[in-house]
Amino acid sequence: MSAGPHRFVSTDRRVREDRRFVAGKGRFVADIDLPHTKHVALVTCPYPAARIISIDKRRALAMPGVHYLLDGRELAAATLPLMAGLDTPNVPRRPLAVDTARYSGEWVAAVVADTRALAEDAAEEIDIRYEALPFVLDAEKAIEPGAVLVHAAHGSNVLLDRTFVWGEVENDFAASPRRLSLRVKWGRSSTVPIETFGVVANWDAWRDVLDVYASIQMPKYPDQIAMALQLPASAVRVHYDVDVGGSYGVKRGIKHSVLVSYLTRRLGFPVRLVEDRLENMRGGDAHGPERLFDVDVAFDNNGIVRSMKMRALENVGAYAGRSPFQLGKPIGAIVGPYKIKSVQYRAIAAVTNKTTQDAVRGFGQAPTNLALERAMDEVANTLGLDPLELRRRNMIRREEFPYTIPSGTTYDSGDYHTVVDKVLAHTSYDEIKTERDRLRAEGKLAGIGIAACLEPSGGNASFEPLLNPKNTTTTWMDSCRIDVDLSAAITATMHTSSAGQGHETLVATVIGEVVGRDPDSIRVVRANSLNSLPSNSPVGSRMAIMLGGAAFHAAHKLKAKLMAIGAHDLGIPLERTVYEQGNVHDRAAPEKRCTWEELVAIAHRNFHRLPEGFEPGLAVAHVYQVPTGGTLPTADGRVQMYPCFSFEFHLILLSIDPDLGAPRIVRYRLGHDCGTVINPKIVRGMTMGGIAHGIGAALYEEFAYNEDGQLIAQTFMDYLLPSSHEVPVVEIVHHETPSPHTVLGQKGSGESGYLGAPAAVANAINDAIRPLGISINALPLNVSKLGDLIADARARRGI
Amino acid sequence: MLLGANSMRIKLTVNGDEYALEIEPRTTLLDCLRDHLGLKGAHAGCEHGVCGACTVLFDGVAVRSCLIFAPQAEGTPITTIEGITPGPGELSPLQDAFCETHGMQCGYCTPAMILVAHALLADNPNPTRDDIVEAISGNLCRCTGYAQIVEAIALAADRIRGTNRPPEVRK
Amino acid sequence: MLAADESARIIAGGQTLVPMMAMRLARPTRLIDINHIAALSYIRADGDTISIGAITRQCLVERDKLIATSLPLLARAVPFIGHAATRARGTIGGSLANADPAAELPLIAITLDAVFTYRVDRRTEKIGARDFYIGPMTTSLPGDAILTSVQLPVWPGKIGVGFHEVNTRRSDFAFVATAAQVELTDDGRCKRIAIGIGAATDFPIRLATAEEKLKGSTLDAAIVKDAVVQALADVTPLSDLHASAKYRRRVAADLATRAVVDACSHALGRKLHAH
């Protein structure tokens, strides 16, 4: 672990990917034009639950430009169900519904036509007869005995119901003088990138290869396509050099991909599916968590929280997707930054007749942080303690790291109190309180909200074996390959797609740092899945750690080779070689030197000058396993999850117009510690984006359903994304507590801001309305509901 | 591509070049630029006029190209991101400013943001922060939270103003 | 052309029609593009009214000096419509004829008693705003008619305006909007007043009983609030995804009061209450 000072790492470098984007020269999936490509439009079920009685294709097939009409039965006969993470064989998931559709918007048939417009024309002409079935939308109702079953063969609507008890929970509760209970609701929202999911698949019958281009962010993507199509993965070539227009978790698109892959093999031309926004919102299976928490905390009169019980009920939607695992990941930081000694955690995943979810930024951490931070604030309120003081008393102290939490994960490092202090040095707490009081004097409701949260990073996804004992995966890796060519130029290869995280810049910077060459001279390219090394994709806030780690180690291998070649050629022992910026010289006689160019030439051309046993050329690679990974859970459900923990501390001042119920964030300060920062522009941008996203989840965004099971928020007119007006100026204060586990001390920051902003906003709103004796524990906030709540409270108080 | 009775011949002026096209009249300007003229810089984000990713300049004014049918664009000079890029591998001061502040991540909303900024600065070379925020408020970005975009436009304004003033007047 | 083809539709700015077509909710077989009819784009004084051509772009109205001085209420409201990019294409006539309950222009038209001029069967007809709006997204414009212009009266004398709306995000459709225009006597009392409420009902309404009551008064907040609350007692506000009826009723009263108080300050030359 090398924390600095550095020559390139942590310096204010430009992000090289930006160059192509500002000229409109990105390569997004919809930009790819393969000759003879045909287009898919979907036919969707209008009912939340229905039996598909018949599909009459005749009128549609007669429409101009139509080539094919695929239904669920045909696809199911030719492919395997999509992979499920849990052991739930009676809840199969397929791209097209077979006999029964289970949510309004579920795909029932696919039209293939010359253009997307013609495909949509034909989609309207398919006659499908349905028998509407009873349905259930609410998770609590879904788990009641006698509830309408979403999957009859599964026997219940519960995919997962697991209780973990870590530590002496009952004893700790009995021994604590105080306790409180709270119900917190996280509404259904998602990341909703501006680019929808798209995929083009082309089967080359002469080479037996399926080429796939997609807007993808997904581990094991080629493998899952191959499995569904019953092909070896060596027959599937996913091109990772497609630019992804934002994802933040959700772009898995596996059903889209299996669909078009089947079609291209069946039909013999490239097939393209780019979701329109309606398909995306309603049937793209990219919704996010919708979670109900019941939290009980046991604490003493000093505000020390000893124990916690948490029940998390997730409304998964009609099929499993990744959703149940989003209940498992938060286990790795279940107590947040606090020294809570024992925890009982019950995770329930319930299916309902809503759209399927996929992985959303943080993978369940943001909702869990909301529940935890609301509970902490209410503890403070109960005791009449300042909420900030309460955090200070409970937070793990710097000298206590590494710190193992009850669920078995060890937090690597942190200095939470210093981050808080730094934020308050920047803007004093008294100053903010004074401003709050001034707003109150002006007749506003005003509140201060804080949130102290962790960002687990590194992507050691051991929640998989934890929630599904049949899964014994302990390998999470990433790779980097470096080639130095005959011209002595360096090319690095990475093995996954990116969605704006600046990975090319990251790789070039790390390699440049290690080998001492200008990162701008280092080319970074992407492999495809047939010439790639193992990668697990940018998920779980892992790439700075994993791709950075792989690049670092590969670069060191390169450096070692150069030093060995130099030592051998200079006739000196290795210990006497000094490496500087690619050149090697003899410490005892500095004029005895091999330049970078000379070393490269020897490697490529002069085999007779290479050390014994050396391979020709200068190609190195490293496949990097996640630090602290590689262990399975214990019998009582304890396991190390992610290796590294970044920290964020939010401090918000929020004002509410009491007559309108309309909130406005007046001040936003964030303290952020993600260890060593490899590229400051990238990290700051991520955090700002995460905060905006969190504000959206707190105040604006919801996939609302009506009582007929119809998704009301199907377009951007009803699903409200924050614009520049809705995001306040944010001031970020930085701190760096390096991780002992990573090559440069870096931790992840891909989820920063999003993990704590909703909690901070919720706490600020509650601080503002508490003087009226009311509280709100459901996000997103609804202006009308808040307005009515305030009006009723004021009426009760005669205001 | 199937074209039949339902096609129209139109002439479009894009980035100073004239194009004669035969298209279905229901083709939006966005789809026409992308699919018929190979100009991929304008992007589809919602196709119902909210996200702004499809923005082009219509006689210098920022508009949503997904809400204009291609035949309606006859006779009006259209500018896309390709039209304000000085040359292969060259960036305008505005584009360069976006790179300097990293006013993007995935790049999907970026050409639209730049065109909106371009139109703003042509109209108002000295915008306040509020002016910038208002100007881009019709363009959604999901990655950046807007901060570094606003900074890019302010930086560009500063640099462009600086270069147009005689040396002795510059600070 | 419209008369000849039942499923033909006029397209002006397209900011409402095209999204509906993209979602296949509107399916015209033909579109008649009227954007290039120069004779329908104008802003001119016509005696004691301002006449605006139906296809005048909203952005032109936004920047127009004549409108700023003679129709300050319209000038105040236009920046609230959508975004700059939609105002660049959207037309005055398009928004007025679309009759969205939450739209700003119909609210202004109702508040100022605008008169609409339209062409049907080669005839020119006129209709007042209060007879024009008859339901949500519904006007009394005949199916094959085309709106050609709108006439808005100019109030002489010491006038002031106020406009407020509440929405989730700043540029969204409002769930309550209020508009007020007042003319004061020399000693600062209300000589004439118009109060309009938008987004709370199927189409914008006037608070006629409140207007009556407030004539001659000093227009302080308490008096105004009282009159407005009473006038709203007979109104049944909408209840939907965005806001409850209870909320709309209460907030309509509140925002109408703010709008009137602002209008009064404006008329007296004092600074407008910033929101």
Side-chain angles (χ1 to χ4, degrees):
Chain A
M1 189 274 294
S2 125
H6 298 114
R7 208 167 138 218
F8 302 116
V9 166
S10 300
T11 63
D12 204 26
R13 306 185 67 78
R14 288 197 177 190
V15 179
R16 65 173 55 179
E17 288 93 324
D18 292 357
R19 251 174 78 79
R20 60 186 184 259
F21 295 139
V22 295
K25 295 296 184 192
R27 189 166 175 251
F28 300 97
V29 66
D31 300 341
I32 294 170
D33 289 327
L34 299 180
H36 313 299
T37 297
K38 307 293 173 221
H39 302 255
V40 171
L42 281 325
V43 182
T44 68
C45 178
Y47 300 101
R51 235 171 28 89
I52 302 164
I53 313 253
S54 64
I55 301 180
D56 187 340
K57 306 178 184 180
R58 285 168 299 174
R59 281 196 304 139
L61 284 169
M63 297 278 291
V66 172
H67 291 272
Y68 204 72
L69 225 134
L70 178 66
D71 63 33
R73 284 234 178 114
E74 178 187 335
L75 187 59
T79 59
L80 293 182
L82 303 176
M83 214 190 78
L86 293 177
D87 182 25
T88 49
N90 290 315
V91 185
R93 182 175 168 226
R94 293 183 175 281
L96 298 177
V98 185
D99 298 335
T100 308
R102 294 182 170 86
Y103 64 91
S104 174
E106 183 171 5
W107 299 352
V108 170
V111 181
V112 184
D114 283 336
T115 67
R116 167 77 195 200
L118 291 172
E120 287 185 31
D121 291 342
E124 293 183 319
E125 299 302 318
I126 298 182
D127 294 313
I128 304 188
R129 282 179 46 236
Y130 295 98
E131 179 200 335
L133 297 172
F135 57 92
V136 61
L137 301 173
D138 179 87
E140 284 187 290
K141 292 213 170 71
I143 62 174
E144 277 169 15
V148 166
L149 290 184
V150 179
H151 294 266
H154 184 67
S156 81
N157 288 325
V158 178
L159 295 184
L160 174 79
D161 186 350
R162 184 94 181 261
T163 301
F164 299 89
V165 182
W166 302 295
E168 299 297 319
V169 176
E170 294 305 336
N171 287 349
D172 287 338
F173 265 76
S176 295
R178 317 283 299 249
R179 65 191 283 183
L180 74 81
S181 301
L182 195 60
R183 175 162 264 219
V184 176
K185 188 169 197 316
W186 176 277
R188 180 176 271 245
S189 60
S190 190
T191 69
V192 195
I194 305 299
E195 182 205 35
T196 61
F197 185 82
V199 56
V200 181
N202 185 26
W203 174 248
D204 181 338
W206 301 109
R207 294 172 183 73
D208 288 326
V209 173
L210 178 73
D211 278 298
V212 178
Y213 306 82
S215 180
I216 191 70
Q217 181 198 10
M218 176 176 176
K220 312 292 196 281
Y221 175 61
D223 315 84
Q224 290 194 28
I225 295 174
M227 261 170 38
L229 293 173
Q230 297 168 280
L231 292 170
S234 62
V236 178
R237 179 165 51 203
V238 173
H239 296 260
Y240 294 128
D241 57 353
V242 175
D243 289 316
V244 178
S247 174
Y248 336 95
V250 295
K251 284 201 174 147
R252 302 254 165 155
I254 190 61
K255 72 175 185 178
H256 317 49
S257 304
V258 169
L259 180 74
V260 299
S261 297
Y262 170 76
L263 284 167
T264 182
R265 277 171 44 88
R266 174 89 179 63
L267 301 174
F269 43 68
V271 178
R272 180 203 213 228
L273 168 56
V274 175
E275 292 172 328
D276 75 7
R277 186 50 67 181
L278 298 171
E279 278 165 350
N280 166 267
M281 302 287 268
R282 204 160 150 254
D285 289 358
H287 284 200
E290 179 184 346
R291 197 169 296 187
L292 189 57
F293 293 92
D294 287 297
V295 185
D296 280 272
V297 285
F299 53 103
D300 66 21
N301 291 305
N302 291 317
I304 306 298
V305 178
R306 277 223 179 87
S307 186
M308 175 177 74
K309 296 181 188 177
M310 181 185 275
R311 185 189 90 149
L313 171 61
E314 179 65 43
N315 185 325
V316 162
Y319 301 90
R322 288 297 281 168
S323 175
F325 288 122
Q326 290 189 117
L327 285 163
K329 180 264 174 84
I331 289 173
I334 194 72
V335 295
Y338 308 118
K339 290 188 285 190
I340 300 171
K341 285 275 170 284
S342 61
V343 177
Q344 176 181 299
Y345 180 65
R346 183 176 180 195
I348 308 174
V351 284
T352 65
N353 295 102
K354 287 187 176 182
T355 302
T356 305
Q357 295 180 23
D358 225 308
V360 161
R361 196 174 202 167
F363 214 56
Q365 196 66 55
T368 311
N369 291 345
L370 173 69
L372 192 49
E373 288 301 290
R374 282 296 305 127
M376 295 304 276
D377 250 32
E378 288 305 319
V379 167
N381 179 44
T382 303
L383 294 173
L385 246 184
D386 181 276
L388 184 55
E389 177 56 27
L390 181 91
R391 299 316 197 278
R392 283 190 202 281
R393 291 183 189 181
N394 281 279
M395 288 194 308
I396 303 161
R397 307 205 71 85
R398 169 183 47 214
E399 55 274 11
E400 291 172 305
F401 286 92
Y403 183 91
T404 304
I405 65 173
S407 55
T409 293
T410 300
Y411 294 166
D412 58 340
S413 68
D415 190 356
Y416 309 149
H417 295 82
T418 299
V419 176
V420 173
D421 289 342
K422 270 187 158 174
V423 172
L424 297 178
H426 184 269
T427 310
S428 91
Y429 202 30
D430 284 332
E431 210 180 292
I432 294 232
K433 284 184 189 168
T434 305
E435 202 177 345
R436 176 188 60 185
D437 296 340
R438 185 180 54 76
L439 287 162
R440 287 177 174 176
E442 283 173 11
K444 300 266 185 285
L445 296 168
I448 294 172
I450 65 176
C453 307
L454 300 183
E455 177 175 353
S457 53
N460 178 19
S462 45
F463 47 79
E464 286 186 20
L466 183 65
L467 297 185
N468 181 3
K470 285 189 181 172
N471 181 331
T472 56
T473 306
T474 58
T475 305
W476 288 280
M477 61 348 211
D478 230 285
S479 307
C480 181
R481 186 193 146 108
I482 305 175
D483 291 86
V484 184
D485 62 40
L486 214 47
S487 75
I490 303 173
T491 301
T493 308
M494 55 177 287
H495 305 88
T496 180
S497 55
S498 305
Q501 304 95 321
H503 293 142
E504 295 163 28
T505 303
L506 169 79
V507 168
T509 304
V510 170
I511 294 173
E513 186 72 45
V514 170
V515 301
R517 308 290 294 177
D518 184 359
D520 288 344
S521 72
I522 299 172
R523 179 171 301 285
V524 180
V525 297
R526 291 170 201 267
N528 63 59
S529 63
L530 290 186
N531 57 26
S532 95
L533 294 169
S535 166
N536 222 39
S537 289
V539 295
S541 182
R542 65 192 294 273
M543 290 306 262
I545 293 165
M546 295 305 296
L547 183 57
F552 181 91
H553 287 294
H556 271 286
K557 285 180 178 172
L558 174 64
K559 189 171 162 184
K561 268 204 169 175
L562 292 165
M563 290 174 75
I565 294 170
H568 180 82
D569 205 60
L570 293 171
I572 58 175
L574 192 60
E575 305 78 66
R576 254 167 59 196
T577 51
V578 178
Y579 178 96
E580 23 88 18
Q581 298 176 41
N583 313 298
V584 161
H585 69 258
D586 181 348
R587 190 198 317 278
E591 72 286 357
K592 279 176 70 177
R593 201 161 177 263
C594 285
T595 64
W596 164 258
E597 289 77 11
E598 284 168 343
L599 293 165
V600 171
I602 293 170
H604 276 289
R605 293 181 187 277
N606 308 128
F607 191 78
H608 61 283
R609 290 164 74 180
L610 281 177
E612 187 80 28
F614 253 55
E615 290 172 1
L618 271 180
V620 295
H622 190 82
V623 182
Y624 183 55
Q625 162 71 347
V626 63
T628 77
T631 54
L632 285 167
T634 60
D636 64 340
R638 288 164 45 96
V639 72
Q640 173 69 37
M641 284 208 203
Y642 295 20
C644 306
F645 294 81
S646 303
F647 176 71
E648 53 192 70
F649 174 68
H650 300 246
L651 176 65
I652 296 180
L653 175 62
L654 181 145
S655 155
I656 301 174
D657 183 317
D659 301 312
L660 304 182
R664 187 174 67 93
I665 299 173
V666 177
R667 296 251 172 271
Y668 206 122
R669 301 281 184 275
L670 180 79
H672 186 218
D673 181 353
C674 59
T676 305
V677 173
I678 295 173
N679 184 302
K681 291 191 209 281
I682 291 176
V683 170
R684 182 168 178 264
M686 278 287 155
T687 307
M688 293 295 195
I691 288 173
H693 188 189
I695 290 172
L699 297 179
Y700 306 111
E701 299 176 38
E702 188 172 18
F703 282 113
Y705 284 76
N706 67 16
E707 38 181 52
D708 298 323
Q710 301 299 329
L711 178 64
I712 310 172
Q714 288 189 40
T715 69
F716 284 171
M717 290 151 189
D718 295 308
Y719 189 92
L720 307 179
L721 302 174
S723 78
S724 56
H725 279 310
E726 281 73 48
V727 184
V729 172
V730 175
E731 286 176 33
I732 302 179
V733 170
H734 228 86
H735 188 64
E736 284 186 20
T737 310
S739 172
H741 297 312
T742 61
V743 298
L744 295 164
Q746 76 275 31
K747 302 180 182 180
S749 60
E751 300 160 0
S752 58
Y754 179 66
L755 298 181
V761 170
N763 281 341
I765 291 168
N766 280 288
D767 188 47
I769 61 181
R770 189 170 292 124
L772 291 174
I774 51 179
S775 67
I776 284 206
N777 286 306
L779 293 185
L781 181 76
N782 179 291
V783 169
S784 171
K785 285 208 180 96
L786 180 60
D788 285 344
L789 197 66
I790 291 169
D792 290 343
R794 284 164 120 195
R796 279 197 301 272
R797 289 174 174 224
I799 300 173
Chain B
M1 179 104 39
L2 187 81
L3 284 174
N6 195 25
S7 72
M8 257 177 103
R9 289 214 172 89
I10 63 169
K11 280 202 175 66
L12 292 184
T13 307
V14 183
N15 300 328
D17 294 321
E18 277 217 3
Y19 298 92
L21 297 162
E22 194 172 327
I23 45 122
E24 282 187 77
R26 66 173 171 173
T27 308
T28 61
L29 178 58
L30 173 65
D31 288 340
C32 186
L33 291 168
R34 291 182 54 83
D35 300 336
H36 296 265
L37 298 182
L39 297 167
K40 305 290 188 184
H43 299 140
C46 70
E47 295 177 295
H48 49 267
V50 179
C51 77
C54 66
T55 301
V56 300
L57 300 183
F58 209 64
D59 202 10
V61 176
V63 297
R64 278 100 157 86
S65 66
C66 74
L67 296 187
I68 299 174
F69 292 107
Q72 294 186 283
E74 269 195 316
T76 305
I78 297 156
T79 311
T80 66
I81 189 72
E82 292 86 353
I84 66 160
T85 305
E90 292 174 42
L91 302 180
S92 71
L94 179 57
Q95 289 168 312
D96 188 77
F98 268 77
C99 293
E100 180 60 32
T101 69
H102 188 48
M104 74 206 79
Q105 287 169 34
C106 79
Y108 202 71
C109 77
T110 306
M113 286 288 182
I114 290 175
L115 287 170
V116 166
H118 183 94
L120 169 71
L121 296 180
D123 195 51
N124 177 1
N126 196 4
T128 61
R129 189 180 190 278
D130 282 348
D131 290 335
I132 295 172
V133 167
E134 173 62 32
I136 66 169
S137 65
N139 289 69
L140 295 175
C141 174
R142 211 41 176 153
C143 293
T144 66
Y146 307 101
Q148 289 173 185
I149 293 176
V150 172
E151 287 160 14
I153 300 170
L155 176 64
D158 208 54
R159 286 182 173 171
I160 293 168
R161 277 198 315 276
T163 55
N164 286 335
R165 268 195 240 143
E168 58 274 14
V169 178
R170 277 179 241 156
K171 264 190 239 144
Chain C
M1 270 193 272
L2 274 180
D5 183 350
E6 255 183 43
S7 9
R9 281 191 70 160
I10 302 251
I11 183 166
Q15 304 302 286
T16 304
L17 180 60
V18 182
M20 290 181 53
M21 289 177 66
M23 295 190 246
R24 296 180 175 240
L25 297 172
R27 303 158 158 284
T29 47
R30 264 185 230 258
L31 288 178
I32 301 161
D33 186 347
I34 60 171
N35 282 287
H36 295 285
I37 305 177
L40 289 181
S41 175
Y42 59 85
I43 302 169
R44 56 179 176 246
D46 202 353
D48 57 358
T49 66
I50 304 277
S51 188
I52 306 175
I55 64 154
T56 309
R57 305 274 179 213
Q58 292 157 11
C59 61
L60 288 182
V61 173
E62 191 177 351
R63 295 199 288 262
D64 190 80
K65 293 205 166 52
L66 180 62
I67 303 260
T69 48
S70 306
L71 292 176
L73 185 59
L74 178 60
R76 274 279 276 153
V78 173
F80 285 84
I81 306 173
H83 293 283
T86 63
R87 297 196 294 275
R89 293 288 295 166
T91 61
I92 295 295
S95 176
L96 286 170
N98 188 41
D100 191 300
E104 291 81 359
L105 289 177
L107 172 59
I108 302 304
I110 289 272
T111 305
L112 295 180
D113 278 321
V115 170
F116 298 117
T117 305
Y118 62 94
R119 290 274 296 167
V120 62
D121 292 342
R122 299 175 193 281
R123 290 187 329 270
T124 299
E125 302 279 356
K126 285 185 184 292
I127 182 169
R130 295 203 222 197
D131 296 320
F132 186 71
Y133 293 106
I134 57 178
M137 318 293 292
T138 318
T139 67
S140 52
L141 197 68
D144 51 356
I146 165 175
L147 194 66
T148 52
S149 67
V150 60
Q151 282 70 50
L152 293 146
V154 177
W155 289 19
K158 202 171 164 125
I159 73 160
V161 300
F163 185 86
H164 285 278
E165 43 173 66
V166 62
N167 31 31
T168 306
R169 293 174 310 177
R170 193 142 132 184
S171 306
D172 289 334
F173 274 126
F175 28 94
V176 180
T178 64
Q181 182 157 298
V182 309
E183 187 191 345
L184 299 181
T185 61
D186 287 327
D187 61 341
R189 283 177 174 272
C190 173
K191 184 171 177 189
R192 187 179 173 194
I193 182 168
I195 307 173
I197 308 286
T201 47
D202 286 341
F203 47 85
I205 55 174
R206 290 273 293 277
L207 296 185
T209 53
E211 291 168 1
E212 261 315 300
K213 218 170 189 189
L214 291 170
K215 279 214 186 89
S217 82
T218 52
L219 294 180
D220 4 293
I223 297 174
V224 174
K225 183 82 178 278
D226 209 58
V228 159
V229 166
Q230 275 198 37
L232 282 165
D234 302 318
V235 173
T236 309
L238 297 167
S239 185
D240 61 20
L241 169 71
H242 299 293
S244 66
K246 189 168 134 182
Y247 179 90
R248 285 192 161 101
R249 177 189 303 288
R250 189 181 65 248
V251 173
D254 192 270
L255 289 186
T257 307
R258 291 190 204 186
V260 172
V261 167
D262 284 355
C264 188
S265 296
H266 187 208
L268 291 170
R270 287 195 229 116
K271 267 189 111 160
L272 274 183
H273 183 187
H275 263 281

